[in-house]
Every structure is written in structure tokens, then in C-alpha cells.
Amino acid sequence: MATTNQPKFTYQAPVGAKNNSREFTLDSKVRSADGRSTVTDTFPVLGMSCASCAANAERSVKQLDGVVKAAVNFATGYLTVEYIPEYQNSTKIQKAVQSAGYDLLVEEENTQQDTLEAIHEKKFRSLKYKTTWAILLSLPVVVIGMFFMDMPYANPIMWLLSTPVVVWLGRDFFINAWKQARHRSATMDTLVALSTGIAYLFSVFNIVYADFWHERGLHAHVYFEAAAVIIAFILLGKLLEEKAKGNTSTALKKLMGLQPNYVVVIQNDGTEKRVAIDTVKVGDEILVKPGEKIAVDGKLTLGSSYVDESMLSGEPVPVLKQKGNKVFAGTINQKGSFQFRAVKVGKETMLAHIIKTVQDAQGSRAPVQKLVDKIAGIFVPVVMGISILTFMLWVILGGETGVVQGLMAAVTVLVIACPCALGLATPTAIMVGVGKAAEKGILIKDAESLEVTKNVTAVVLDKTGTITEGKPELTAIEWLNADDSPKSILAGIEKLSEHPLAEAVVKHFEELETQALSDFTSITGKGATATCNNESYFVGNASLLADHNISIAAQLQTKAEEWSKLAHTVVWFADSHQALCVIAIADQVKDTSATAIRQLQKMGIELYMLTGDAESTASAIAEQTGIRHYKAGLLPQHKAEFVKELQRQGHLVAMVGDGINDSTALATADVSIAMGQGSDIAMDVAKMTIISSDLTKIPLAIRLSKHTVATIRQNLFWAFIYNVIGIPVAAGILFPINGFLLNPMIAGAAMALSSVSVVSNSLRLKWKK
């Protein structure tokens, strides 16, 4: 999946927010250290069976000339590679991966996902078939081997039943192990192939050459049940692991399933035609009926309806869409019908951007994963060394039965060791955490951000557009003598005005029919004046009224003073004699801001509000929301300096902003969070984006980070402790103390369950509140 273009993605505010919109810019074409342009591609890797496989495949790509960065995520099965296109291309990278014994799926992006799903489905069916037959054939071998060893022809029957399990159902382990051996590497398949192969061949030798042991006064034991059951258990573990890994990416699959495959396009002659989504072009008129999913991003041209945008923004309340409003791919129409014009299609839609961001984040590595990857890379050779050492020690110290017991102990060491649990511990938790965040309307760019967020001790909030709606709104109006005539004149003057505050008044009176005006004049810094029916009217500040000796009634003056104390902007409307009304305009605090601030304060996080506005405005907003610390009159560079000061004090700082003026502070902070309705630059700089611009998502993101990191630590603890305890016990460390030797069959079951338990623990995140 190449990312070399620069599409934009637009999102409109949900119900309750002001009707502004924003555009995301995705620019993944960067420059290498020598200044050359690089391209980042993502490819599915086929044929991996464990974390060591991922390390081998990654190593093969990193060795290529022109490759800047490469990372293989075992949990997702994807290779992310950044390279210089003058030196490398997908075909060369594919050959490098193939040379390591694996394969790369190199297809067009629109068919890649379908092909990959078909491959996974085929693999799962094959695994299910093999597992079922392996269990059915292994059961009688176990029963005979444990309870009916003395029955006639017991050994030949076990040989007969275990042969198809090892040779047919377990053949992939041996094939993959041989491929890796040819490339001088080893993986989990090597461990399984060696352990089961040794147990099987040793048992065959003991049947065919039983006299070899009898002449030495020893009984010729067979271990067919160990070989068969190990393969059965590992196949079962892989089946469960595959199913569980599929569940970790359900959030991404849900996002991918939001876009319909077909749409109804209105032709030039007005007829309706059902076409495939891939054929939709910018400018097409699309019909959406009740209950249908919206296919691409666009703008309404006819009709109206409520649209459920919860799958993108996490907000449960449907949004009213009318002519001129924007709609987004993947959202669901409710009861009405409407037509819209396609504005963004394919990879340029907001849904495509979200899917790409989630994929990148799920495939990225948390800092702790780097150590784990190093261990996984050397794990298999170290285990093979321990196995050989175990055998040698048993031969030297084990007495008459030292060879047999040493061989079984060496086999058990190979079987019980599990690099998969280590490899899956971190990425599965990251996959679930990032997916859950996306479901809640939080876009996380990488695993490191998710891991670091839990340690945040200070949150710095921009005021405009972050705590507030970011758009002036008429909050109150007091008339001297209310009637319809002055209202229509007021609306008419403001409609002609270019002042930013005029829009708030126009919107408030949008249903009124304005009167015809003449002699409109804009007075810079004061307001505007116009004439209607030979009477002059004025809209502006108090000094405009004073310049024209216009009187103000006491009741209006009292209201104006009251609103000024609340840091509202006061606008006067008057005729040539007296003030007719006073208007309060303010950038309203979002409904959820105070709740979010209380939640963060309860979590012990220090909150700071920064704004370029006046002290009185900042003070009023701080009092309204419960913020104890704030700074007013700041320039953009001052915000970044304040973040640095907090960092010097030992705080881990999260900066939350929405504008270009916040981008420097966002880049400086340890965790950067952008509002979904803010500027492109803020979005590009930030590591996290709150799509709906709802501040209550921030404490949610912090809690999610804590749960995810806790899950990673639990997974790593159990994966490490399992191997640290399991391998010595398998080698026979307890034998001199209490005579205990671990059965290879039990070791196979433990190994299979270790990976499943790690993935299952990660899945618990989905149900955490």
C-alpha cells in the first residue's frame, strides 16, 4: 500500500458543535538523510509462523540498498518499509523476502485486502482440517501409549497412527524448517520439526532395532504419542491463535466494512444507475435512501436527513444534514432520502484516512517492543543450544538411562520454548488499544504515543476551538421595545457587514426577511451604519453611539455592564436618537469542556489554559470551566516556551490545540493532541486527533493508554516467566530433587496455550471501561 500522494480529508462538526469543518492532509512522502525523496509502503508478509520469522524477514529487507527503515509486525502480518524509489521497488523487496523463505503480497491496494482475506480464510480452513485430523489420530496413540502398552501390536499400531500426523499433517513444520536451514536461520518451525522428528525417528529406530537396547539390558521405549500429540497441540494452538488474532483487528475490519460496494448514481438524463463503488468519480450525483451507508465524501445538493456518524466520531447523536452540508463515507443515513455530489472518492475520503492511520498505528512498535524483538531474534538458536547442552549433561550424568532420558529432555526443551508468546505480547495489545480508540473517535498515529500517554502529568489546553466552540455566537439580546421592524433592519445591516462578529447576528436572525437598506457604510474599529425609510441606523460599539450623541437607556446599560463582566463582546443597535437593543456575543464553551476538565483534575493531572485573548476573557472562561491555571495574551512562541518550562519542572506534558498558532507547542509537547475541527497543520503535527473535538475523549485516551500498557506488561511478564521457568523444568532441573521429568506431550500443550493466553489477555482490553 504505497503512500506518495497528498489527499485531504474533511470532517464536519456533530450536533451541538458549530457548523465549521476541517481538512486533514496526509503527506507521507518524506526525505531521507541525504535529501532524496522516500516512499513508505505496506505489504502483507506470507508464511510467517512466529516472532523469529518476523525478525528474519525484517532483516532481509533492511539489508537492501536504498531501504531507510523496515519493520515487520508479527501480530498484523505486515511489513512497513521506507525506501528511496530510485534504488528499490516492490518487486526487489518481494525477492528479498522470498530469499529469506517467506513471501510478500504485492498487488493493487483495491484488490490486496480481498486477496489477503481469501488467503487467510484458506489458511484457517486448512489449519482447522489438519487440527481435527491430528487430534482424532493422536487420541488413540495417547490411550495406547499410556494405558495399553502391553497389548499385542501396540507399537506398530501407534507407528501407523502417528505417521500421518507427523509426515502429512505436520509436514509444514518440516518444510518451513528446511527453508530456514537453507538460509542459515531458525524459527519456531525448526524447534517443532527437530523435537517431533527426533521423537518419531527415535521411536522408529527402537521398533526396528529393538535388540540394540535389549543386548544392553535396556527396554526399547517408543515415543510416538509424544510426536503426534505435540503436533496436534501446536496445530490446535495455532488455530486458536489465528482466531484470536483475527479478533484483535475487529475494529479495523469494522471500519473497512463501512463502505458499501455499490451506489446509485443519478445520470445526466435523471435516471438512476447502480454502479460499483470503484467507478464513482468526483462530481457524480449519488442517491442515498433510508438506512443506506454513504459511499464517498460529498456535499448535499437535494433533500435532508439525519446521518449516524458515530462510527467516525464516536458521537452517538445523529447529525442533521441539509443542502450544502458535508457527508462522509461509511456513515449511515437514517430515515430521509437525499442526493449529494461526490467530492472525495477512493483513498481521499476521510474513512480511508482513518483506516490508514489505524493500520499504521497498529503496525507501529512501542518502545518496549524493540528489546523484545532483539530477544526473539536470538531466541531459537539459544534454545537449540540449551537443548544440545541438556542432552550432553544427561549423557554424562544420567547413568544407564542417560541417553534415552537426555533425548526426551532435549526434545521437551525444544517443544516447550515459545518465541511466539514474546512476539505477540506487545503488538496484540497495541492492535486492540488503537482499534478501541478509533471506535471511540480517537485517532492515534503510533504505538509510542499510546504507551506514553499514561504518564501525562500536565495537560495544556488552547482556549479558542479547544475549550470553546471556536466561533462567535449570539448568546443574549435585550430590546428596548421589541418589534419585527428593527430586527429585520439589524439583520440586514449585519448581512452587509464583513466584521467577524456580524456572522453571529446574521445566523441568529437567518429566518427573518431583511429590509432594503441604502447608504451602507463600514466604520473601521467601530461598526457600521445604513439608512432605511429615511432613518439612520447604527450597529457597533459604545464609541460609535457616543460619536453620534445617541442616548442609552438605563436597563440596556445595566445589561451591557453585566455581560462585559462575563467577558462577552457587547454590540449596540440604535437609530439616530436612542439605542434600540444591546447584544452579547461570545465564543461559547463546549458543553463537555467543564466535565472533561473535572475528570482530568480527578485523575491528578494539572491543567493549564493558554490563550492570545485578553485577561478578562481568559479569567471568565477559566472560572466557567474550573481551570485554576491560565495565561492570557500569549503569542504562538510563548505557548511552546510554556510547554518547555513545564517539561523542565519534570512534567510529562500533553498539548491540546486546534489552530496553526498551536502547531509549535504541539510539536514541543511529549503528547500532542489535535481537535478534529482544527487546522490541517495542527492535525499533521499531532500524534493524536480527537475527531469530534470533544475534550472528554482526552481522559478516555489516558485511561485506554494505562489499560493497554498494563496489558503489555502482563503479557511480557507471563511470556518471559513461562520460558524462564518452563525451559529449565523441561531440561530436568527438578529430577535430582524429586525425580520429576516433564512429559513432552504436556510441554506441547503448555507451548500451544502460552500464545493463546497472551492474545486472549490482549482481547480483554475490548471490554475494559
Side-chain angles (χ1 to χ4, degrees):
M1 190 185 325
T3 52
T4 57
N5 54 345
Q6 301 177 12
K8 288 186 176 179
F9 311 91
T10 308
Y11 175 72
Q12 188 173 356
V15 168
K18 300 303 289 180
N19 190 24
N20 59 351
S21 63
R22 62 157 335 270
E23 289 185 324
F24 302 102
T25 302
L26 177 64
D27 181 2
S28 56
K29 196 165 188 177
V30 295
R31 295 195 174 272
S32 60
D34 64 357
R36 294 177 183 268
S37 292
T38 65
V39 175
T40 300
D41 274 359
T42 305
F43 302 105
V45 183
L46 307 176
M48 294 193 300
S49 60
C50 68
S52 297
C53 297
N56 292 339
E58 182 179 307
R59 199 179 300 117
S60 69
V61 177
K62 280 183 173 177
Q63 290 170 352
L64 295 173
D65 292 334
V67 170
V68 181
K69 278 192 293 188
V72 176
N73 188 312
F74 174 54
T76 61
Y78 276 90
L79 160 71
T80 302
V81 56
E82 183 186 336
Y83 61 92
I84 301 169
E86 287 88 344
Y87 292 112
Q88 286 302 330
N89 56 45
S90 58
T91 305
K92 290 179 181 178
I93 294 169
Q94 183 184 35
K95 286 179 180 176
V97 174
Q98 288 171 339
S99 72
Y102 313 100
D103 201 359
L104 215 59
L105 183 61
V106 181
E107 286 192 9
E108 290 296 320
E109 189 178 350
N110 55 356
T111 61
Q112 187 186 83
Q113 190 61 33
D114 292 338
T115 306
L116 189 60
E117 284 181 7
I119 291 170
H120 283 323
E121 183 61 31
K122 184 180 178 183
K123 180 183 176 183
F124 187 78
R125 284 200 308 269
S126 173
L127 204 51
K128 192 174 182 180
Y129 174 81
K130 289 177 181 177
T131 304
T132 304
W133 275 105
I135 291 171
L136 290 174
L137 291 170
S138 298
L139 275 173
V141 179
V142 173
V143 172
I144 293 170
M146 296 187 75
F147 304 109
F148 301 103
M149 274 298 295
D150 297 327
M151 67 178 276
Y153 306 107
N155 286 354
I157 292 170
M158 287 192 291
W159 186 4
L160 179 69
L161 292 172
S162 61
T163 298
V165 176
V166 176
V167 178
W168 172 42
L169 300 170
R171 67 186 182 278
D172 286 343
F173 295 117
F174 295 93
I175 293 168
N176 293 336
W178 173 245
K179 283 181 183 176
Q180 294 310 311
R182 286 172 58 199
H183 295 101
R184 297 180 180 179
S185 62
T187 65
M188 190 199 78
D189 289 325
T190 310
L191 300 181
V192 176
L194 279 174
S195 58
T196 56
I198 291 169
Y200 178 81
L201 292 174
F202 183 62
S203 301
V204 171
F205 177 86
N206 287 355
I207 288 179
V208 177
Y209 300 104
D211 291 341
F212 175 84
W213 300 106
H214 294 158
E215 288 168 1
R216 289 162 176 75
L218 297 170
H219 184 69
H221 289 286
V222 294
Y223 298 94
F224 289 119
E225 77 279 6
V229 170
I230 287 167
I231 285 177
F233 271 135
I234 291 171
L235 285 173
L236 177 62
K238 280 187 165 293
L239 183 71
L240 295 173
E241 180 187 316
E242 200 70 26
K243 191 173 180 64
K245 275 165 69 178
N247 288 335
T248 61
S249 59
T250 50
L252 191 58
K253 287 175 183 173
K254 279 182 189 174
L255 287 172
M256 289 178 169
L258 289 176
Q259 196 173 43
N261 295 321
Y262 294 92
V263 296
V264 175
V265 175
I266 306 297
Q267 303 297 296
N268 291 332
D269 59 2
T271 59
E272 299 176 8
K273 184 180 179 183
R274 191 169 182 262
V275 301
I277 182 68
D278 296 340
T279 64
V280 175
K281 302 183 295 294
V282 173
D284 282 351
E285 285 284 331
I286 298 169
L287 174 65
V288 182
K289 297 175 182 177
E292 288 185 345
K293 291 177 182 175
I294 295 167
V296 296
D297 292 0
K299 190 173 283 189
L300 253 72
T301 56
L302 184 66
S304 66
S305 180
Y306 281 91
V307 174
D308 179 4
E309 295 185 340
S310 60
M311 60 291 298
L312 299 185
S313 66
E315 299 299 322
V317 182
V319 182
L320 176 62
K321 299 291 181 179
Q322 297 172 312
K323 186 176 178 180
N325 289 155
K326 290 168 183 168
V327 290
F328 304 96
T331 55
I332 302 172
N333 182 28
Q334 300 293 290
K335 295 181 179 179
S337 292
F338 60 85
Q339 291 178 24
F340 73 94
R341 183 174 294 111
V343 175
K344 296 182 186 296
V345 300
K347 292 188 292 183
E348 296 188 357
T349 64
M350 182 188 172
L351 177 63
H353 167 68
I354 291 173
I355 290 170
K356 179 71 174 64
T357 304
V358 173
Q359 278 181 327
D360 289 347
Q362 289 187 338
S364 64
R365 293 183 179 180
V368 70
Q369 183 68 16
K370 293 171 186 174
L371 172 64
V372 177
D373 288 342
K374 287 181 182 178
I375 294 169
I378 62 168
F379 185 86
V380 173
V382 168
V383 169
M384 290 171 67
I386 293 171
S387 178
I388 293 168
L389 180 64
T390 299
F391 177 72
M392 290 171 63
L393 289 173
W394 271 99
V395 170
I396 296 167
L397 306 172
E400 290 183 351
T401 60
V403 173
V404 177
Q405 288 180 322
L407 201 60
M408 285 301 100
V411 166
T412 308
V413 167
L414 293 172
V415 170
I416 201 166
C418 185
C420 295
L422 285 171
L424 291 168
T426 302
T428 51
I430 293 294
M431 283 174 72
V432 176
V434 169
K436 185 169 182 178
E439 288 178 351
K440 299 292 184 183
I442 305 167
L443 276 186
I444 298 172
K445 277 191 180 176
D446 56 40
E448 185 173 357
S449 302
L450 184 60
E451 187 177 340
V452 170
T453 301
K454 77 174 186 67
N455 298 319
V456 166
T457 57
V459 173
V460 177
L461 299 163
D462 171 54
K463 181 187 77 70
T464 307
T466 302
I467 296 174
T468 65
E469 296 287 2
K471 207 167 187 183
E473 186 176 298
L474 192 154
T475 57
I477 185 165
E478 181 79 12
W479 289 92
L480 186 63
N481 295 299
D483 62 60
D484 290 338
S485 180
K487 289 179 184 177
S488 61
I489 296 168
L490 169 61
I493 295 173
E494 291 291 49
K495 196 171 269 188
L496 295 171
S497 174
E498 294 179 354
H499 195 281
L501 296 180
E503 187 183 338
V505 179
V506 171
K507 187 171 182 183
H508 182 77
F509 293 113
E510 61 187 351
E511 293 180 3
L512 271 183
E513 192 172 326
T514 57
Q515 290 196 26
L517 302 172
S518 60
D519 302 328
F520 174 84
T521 306
S522 178
I523 304 168
T524 304
K526 295 189 176 182
T529 178
T531 303
C532 180
N533 298 328
N534 297 319
E535 175 64 62
S536 295
Y537 291 91
F538 303 84
V539 179
N541 55 27
S543 74
L544 177 66
L545 272 62
D547 290 348
H548 293 83
N549 298 314
I550 296 170
S551 64
I552 299 173
Q555 71 177 82
L556 297 184
Q557 187 63 48
T558 302
K559 274 291 177 187
E561 291 170 1
E562 182 185 318
W563 291 336
S564 294
K565 288 177 183 176
L566 295 173
H568 291 182
T569 301
V570 174
V571 176
W572 294 92
F573 173 53
D575 58 20
S576 56
H577 306 291
Q578 61 181 350
L580 301 176
C581 79
V582 62
I583 302 162
I585 296 175
D587 183 6
Q588 290 284 71
V589 172
K590 293 175 185 173
D591 294 338
T592 56
S593 292
T595 303
I597 287 160
R598 282 196 301 272
Q599 288 177 0
L600 289 166
Q601 287 169 339
K602 282 181 182 177
M603 295 169 80
I605 294 170
E606 290 190 26
L607 288 170
Y608 301 86
M609 181 182 74
L610 306 183
T611 179
D613 281 353
E615 172 75 22
S616 59
T617 303
S619 174
I621 296 296
E623 186 177 343
Q624 196 174 339
T625 56
I627 292 177
R628 302 185 189 99
H629 311 289
Y630 66 88
K631 283 186 176 290
L634 298 182
L635 294 173
Q637 61 267 31
H638 296 150
K639 293 182 180 181
E641 287 167 9
F642 184 76
V643 169
K644 286 179 183 175
E645 179 58 34
L646 289 176
Q647 289 170 330
R648 283 194 288 270
Q649 293 172 17
H651 285 293
L652 195 138
V653 183
M655 173 69 197
V656 188
D658 75 316
I660 294 171
N661 62 334
D662 301 319
S663 56
T664 309
L666 285 168
T668 307
D670 301 289
V671 177
S672 47
I673 305 171
M675 295 288 103
Q677 297 163 38
S679 73
D680 294 341
I681 293 174
M683 167 68 182
D684 290 340
V685 170
K687 293 291 186 180
M688 253 183 230
T689 299
I690 309 297
I691 296 177
S692 64
S693 297
D694 180 354
L695 284 181
T696 57
K697 304 290 185 183
I698 295 172
L700 177 63
I702 294 171
R703 286 196 299 272
L704 184 59
S705 172
K706 288 179 178 178
H707 291 154
T708 304
V709 172
T711 302
I712 290 171
R713 287 176 176 169
Q714 291 161 11
N715 287 349
L716 288 174
F717 173 79
W718 288 114
F720 275 111
I721 209 73
Y722 164 81
N723 284 293
V724 166
I725 294 173
I727 291 173
V729 170
I733 198 169
L734 296 178
F735 187 78
I737 302 168
N738 56 15
F740 177 78
L741 267 180
L742 187 64
N743 191 310
M745 292 188 294
I746 305 300
M751 184 268 197
L753 289 171
S754 63
S755 297
V756 177
S757 62
V758 162
V759 179
S760 300
N761 190 47
S762 295
L763 285 172
R764 290 192 312 114
L765 268 174
K766 292 172 77 172
W767 296 285
K768 284 267 189 184
K769 291 186 179 179

